[in-house]
PDB file of all heavy atoms in Angstrom:
ATOM      1  N   THR R 175       5.399  -0.618   9.460  1.00 35.00           N
ATOM      2  CA  THR R 175       6.278  -1.833   9.169  1.00 35.00           C
ATOM      3  C   THR R 175       5.639  -3.050   9.683  1.00 35.00           C
ATOM      4  O   THR R 175       6.299  -3.944  10.087  1.00 35.00           O
ATOM      5  CB  THR R 175       7.683  -1.634   9.832  1.00 35.00           C
ATOM      6  OG1 THR R 175       7.485  -1.374  11.156  1.00 35.00           O
ATOM      7  CG2 THR R 175       8.383  -0.426   9.119  1.00 35.00           C
ATOM      8  N   THR R 176       4.347  -3.126   9.748  1.00 32.00           N
ATOM      9  CA  THR R 176       3.545  -4.206  10.278  1.00 32.00           C
ATOM     10  C   THR R 176       3.782  -5.484   9.505  1.00 32.00           C
ATOM     11  O   THR R 176       4.145  -5.486   8.409  1.00 32.00           O
ATOM     12  CB  THR R 176       2.092  -3.792  10.269  1.00 32.00           C
ATOM     13  OG1 THR R 176       1.379  -4.916  10.893  1.00 32.00           O
ATOM     14  CG2 THR R 176       1.540  -3.685   8.840  1.00 32.00           C
ATOM     15  N   THR R 177       3.524  -6.568  10.256  1.00 33.00           N
ATOM     16  CA  THR R 177       3.710  -7.927   9.578  1.00 33.00           C
ATOM     17  C   THR R 177       2.331  -8.553   9.283  1.00 33.00           C
ATOM     18  O   THR R 177       2.382  -9.681   8.825  1.00 33.00           O
ATOM     19  CB  THR R 177       4.574  -8.848  10.513  1.00 33.00           C
ATOM     20  OG1 THR R 177       3.975  -8.924  11.750  1.00 33.00           O
ATOM     21  CG2 THR R 177       5.959  -8.305  10.632  1.00 33.00           C
ATOM     22  N   LYS R 178       1.387  -7.894   9.554  1.00 37.00           N
ATOM     23  CA  LYS R 178      -0.006  -8.534   9.226  1.00 37.00           C
ATOM     24  C   LYS R 178      -0.166  -8.559   7.703  1.00 37.00           C
ATOM     25  O   LYS R 178       0.407  -7.719   7.071  1.00 37.00           O
ATOM     26  CB  LYS R 178      -1.155  -7.592   9.802  1.00 37.00           C
ATOM     27  CG  LYS R 178      -1.252  -7.541  11.282  1.00 37.00           C
ATOM     28  CD  LYS R 178      -2.392  -6.669  11.709  1.00 37.00           C
ATOM     29  CE  LYS R 178      -2.499  -6.580  13.193  1.00 37.00           C
ATOM     30  NZ  LYS R 178      -3.533  -5.747  13.675  1.00 37.00           N
ATOM     31  N   CYS R 179      -0.875  -9.578   7.306  1.00 41.00           N
ATOM     32  CA  CYS R 179      -0.968  -9.741   5.834  1.00 41.00           C
ATOM     33  C   CYS R 179      -2.069  -8.971   5.196  1.00 41.00           C
ATOM     34  O   CYS R 179      -1.859  -8.219   4.213  1.00 41.00           O
ATOM     35  CB  CYS R 179      -1.289 -11.175   5.598  1.00 41.00           C
ATOM     36  SG  CYS R 179       0.077 -12.342   6.003  1.00 41.00           S
ATOM     37  N   ALA R 180      -3.306  -8.979   5.775  1.00 46.00           N
ATOM     38  CA  ALA R 180      -4.349  -8.207   5.092  1.00 46.00           C
ATOM     39  C   ALA R 180      -5.458  -7.932   6.119  1.00 46.00           C
ATOM     40  O   ALA R 180      -5.682  -8.654   7.036  1.00 46.00           O
ATOM     41  CB  ALA R 180      -4.861  -8.881   3.918  1.00 46.00           C
ATOM     42  N   SER R 181      -6.258  -6.870   5.801  1.00 49.00           N
ATOM     43  CA  SER R 181      -7.377  -6.540   6.596  1.00 49.00           C
ATOM     44  C   SER R 181      -8.453  -6.076   5.669  1.00 49.00           C
ATOM     45  O   SER R 181      -8.212  -5.500   4.624  1.00 49.00           O
ATOM     46  CB  SER R 181      -6.956  -5.434   7.574  1.00 49.00           C
ATOM     47  OG  SER R 181      -8.076  -5.005   8.226  1.00 49.00           O
ATOM     48  N   ILE R 182      -9.697  -6.293   5.990  1.00 50.00           N
ATOM     49  CA  ILE R 182     -10.814  -5.859   5.137  1.00 50.00           C
ATOM     50  C   ILE R 182     -11.770  -5.060   5.968  1.00 50.00           C
ATOM     51  O   ILE R 182     -12.135  -5.482   7.056  1.00 50.00           O
ATOM     52  CB  ILE R 182     -11.531  -7.119   4.520  1.00 50.00           C
ATOM     53  CG1 ILE R 182     -10.498  -7.929   3.726  1.00 50.00           C
ATOM     54  CG2 ILE R 182     -12.699  -6.640   3.584  1.00 50.00           C
ATOM     55  CD1 ILE R 182     -10.978  -9.187   3.280  1.00 50.00           C
ATOM     56  N   THR R 183     -12.324  -3.989   5.338  1.00 50.00           N
ATOM     57  CA  THR R 183     -13.253  -3.156   6.026  1.00 50.00           C
ATOM     58  C   THR R 183     -14.265  -2.696   5.051  1.00 50.00           C
ATOM     59  O   THR R 183     -13.998  -2.631   3.823  1.00 50.00           O
ATOM     60  CB  THR R 183     -12.615  -1.984   6.812  1.00 50.00           C
ATOM     61  OG1 THR R 183     -13.666  -1.318   7.485  1.00 50.00           O
ATOM     62  CG2 THR R 183     -11.949  -0.985   5.883  1.00 50.00           C
TER      63      THR R 183
END
Side-chain angles (χ1 to χ4, degrees):
T175 57
T176 184
T177 56
K178 291 182 182 177
C179 293
S181 175
I182 301 172
T183 185

